[in-house]
Each structure stands twice: as C-alpha cells, then as structure tokens.
Amino acid sequence: MADPTSKQRLTKAERKEEARRQRVELQRKMARSRRNRKVALGVVAVLVAGVAAFALTRPQEALATPADLLENVDQARQTAGCGPVEDVGSYKPKSLDRGHVTTPPPLSGYASVPPASGPHNPIPYGAGVYSTPPPIDRVIHSLEHGAAIVWYAPDVSGKELDRIRTFYEGHTVAGNRVIVAPYDYPDQGAAGTLPAGTQMALVAWHNVQKCANVNLAAAFGFTSSYTAPSFPQRPYKGKAPEAGAAF
C-alpha cells in the first residue's frame, strides 16, 4: 500500500482522494466553528435579554416623600441616635457673632462643633449637595440667612447617605435652603471633625442636633422646621437674624 505521507509514491487517483479527504475535513472544521460561534452568540443574546428584562421588571425603590419622612421622624431620630436640638449660644464676644471678616478665626474658637454662628465671610454659600467640604466661613453666613446644614462624617457611605443626597438634590422645595456636605477640615484639629460617635450633625443658626448615624427622615425633620422659610405647613423654629435672605 502506498505511503500517504509521500506525495511522490501516490497515484493520481490516490492524490485526488487525499485532496477530497482534506476538503471534507476542512469543511467539517468550518461547520463546527460556525456552530460554536452561533451557540456563543445565542448564549450572549439570552444573557443580554435576561439582564434587560430584570432591569425593566425589578421593583424600583420609591423616592421618599416629605409626608412619609415626617410621619416617621420620631422613630427615625431614635434609630439614628439623635440627641435633642441644642441652643449652643452665640460666638464670644457676642459683638462678633454676626461679624464679617476676610480671615476667619480658627474653628476651635467658635461656640460649637460644627459652628452655628460667628465671624464669617461677607459672601454666603449656595444651597446644594456637595461632595467636598465647602468654605465654612461662607456656610456660616448662609446660616445667618436661614439655611440649615446636614453635615456628615467624611468616612460615611452607604444607602442611607445616598438617600439623603438624592432627596435634597431632587426635591426643589425641600432642598432650596439646605446645604448637604461632609464636615472635614483636618487642618483645624479636633474642631475640624465631627465629635466622636457623631456621623451626622444638623445645624441652623445657634442650633445643633447631633446623630450617631445618618438618617434621611431625621435630617428632614430638622431642616423642614429650621430653614427660613420653613417647609410648607411646618412651623419655623429657627433663630436666623436675616431669615429668608438670599444665599
């Protein structure tokens, strides 16, 4: 029998048969490759369709409404470990409590941590949700005009903080007099961080409420009454000397 590895020993018929065999084998490999490719594409299509269907049909978390938050505010304050709203008094000397300065004193000189009044920049700071610490001397001026601040510790993260940020960003009435920001001024020593055990501090002019944990309902329970003007149908409890002024 002729050796198939040697083309010189193959007859014409044998060479023709060997070529036919190689063509058949190549066609078989190409067909197998096409089948595998079709199967892979089919699997990908099924996965994409499944992901899309899940995204479209999964239950969406309803955005918090002010009414729901206020209905649960007392329980929320307990859950968050919030203390009472404290009247922290004025800056000393009192004559500087509303003073305008270009170079503010160190935070340790203010009546509370975070500050709730005292010497401040002549230009207030706008309401909004901030991811970096704002200039605190400008924020104090906003307090004088009736702002409320939701301070949170810079190491806080998670769903509840996301809810706070989303609520105040998305609700024009609830958020138009509120500043949400991390309290983080490391160059100011101990006064540049929230007190130990405090993840959230709610501040209005001369008023501070500290909470062990961030909580949206607790935050809104404070800001709805300590901003000027307050949230509709809520009594104003604040003491801002220029309540309602623009910032």
Side-chain angles (χ1 to χ4, degrees):
M1 182 177 178
D3 184 355
T5 63
S6 173
K7 298 295 183 182
Q8 296 178 349
R9 296 180 185 180
L10 293 176
T11 65
K12 182 177 180 180
E14 289 172 334
R15 290 198 300 272
K16 185 175 181 180
E17 176 60 22
E18 176 63 15
R20 186 196 68 79
R21 187 191 66 77
Q22 291 180 359
R23 285 197 305 273
V24 170
E25 181 62 23
L26 178 60
Q27 290 170 351
R28 185 180 298 113
K29 289 181 179 179
M30 292 175 63
R32 186 185 306 119
S33 177
R34 285 194 296 270
R35 285 196 303 272
N36 291 341
R37 187 162 56 249
K38 288 180 179 179
V39 170
L41 290 173
V43 171
V44 171
V46 170
L47 289 174
V48 169
V51 170
F54 174 76
L56 291 173
T57 59
R58 66 175 178 175
Q60 298 294 318
E61 181 180 357
L63 294 176
T65 66
D68 290 339
L69 296 176
L70 293 175
E71 182 179 352
N72 298 303
V73 68
D74 291 336
Q75 179 60 48
R77 286 170 178 152
Q78 293 182 19
T79 301
C82 298
V85 177
E86 302 176 63
D87 183 341
V88 297
S90 68
Y91 183 85
K92 299 293 189 273
K94 191 173 182 179
S95 60
L96 293 179
D97 198 37
R98 298 176 58 190
H100 287 183
V101 295
T102 55
T103 303
L107 292 182
S108 58
Y110 287 83
S112 63
V113 178
S117 68
H120 52 264
N121 192 290
I123 303 173
Y125 205 70
V129 176
Y130 300 95
S131 58
T132 57
I136 200 162
D137 57 331
R138 292 183 61 190
V139 165
I140 295 172
H141 195 162
S142 301
L143 294 177
E144 185 183 32
H145 288 193
I149 309 174
V150 179
W151 291 114
Y152 60 89
D155 59 348
V156 172
S157 61
K159 182 177 180 180
E160 196 62 21
L161 179 60
D162 292 341
R163 292 183 72 222
I164 290 174
R165 295 176 61 85
T166 299
F167 177 77
Y168 285 106
E169 281 178 336
H171 202 294
T172 56
V173 177
N176 68 354
R177 307 289 289 179
V178 178
I179 295 169
V180 179
Y183 189 82
D184 187 26
Y185 303 91
D187 61 326
Q188 295 290 313
T193 59
L194 294 180
T198 300
Q199 285 192 352
M200 180 174 73
L202 310 169
V203 181
W205 187 264
H206 285 189
N207 289 291
V208 177
Q209 184 176 34
K210 298 170 187 174
C211 303
N213 300 292
V214 294
N215 185 283
L216 173 56
F220 183 61
F222 180 91
T223 64
S224 62
S225 288
Y226 283 89
T227 53
S230 58
F231 190 77
Q233 310 304 316
R234 295 286 286 171
Y236 177 58
K237 298 181 179 180
K239 302 175 180 179
E242 298 180 39
F247 62 87

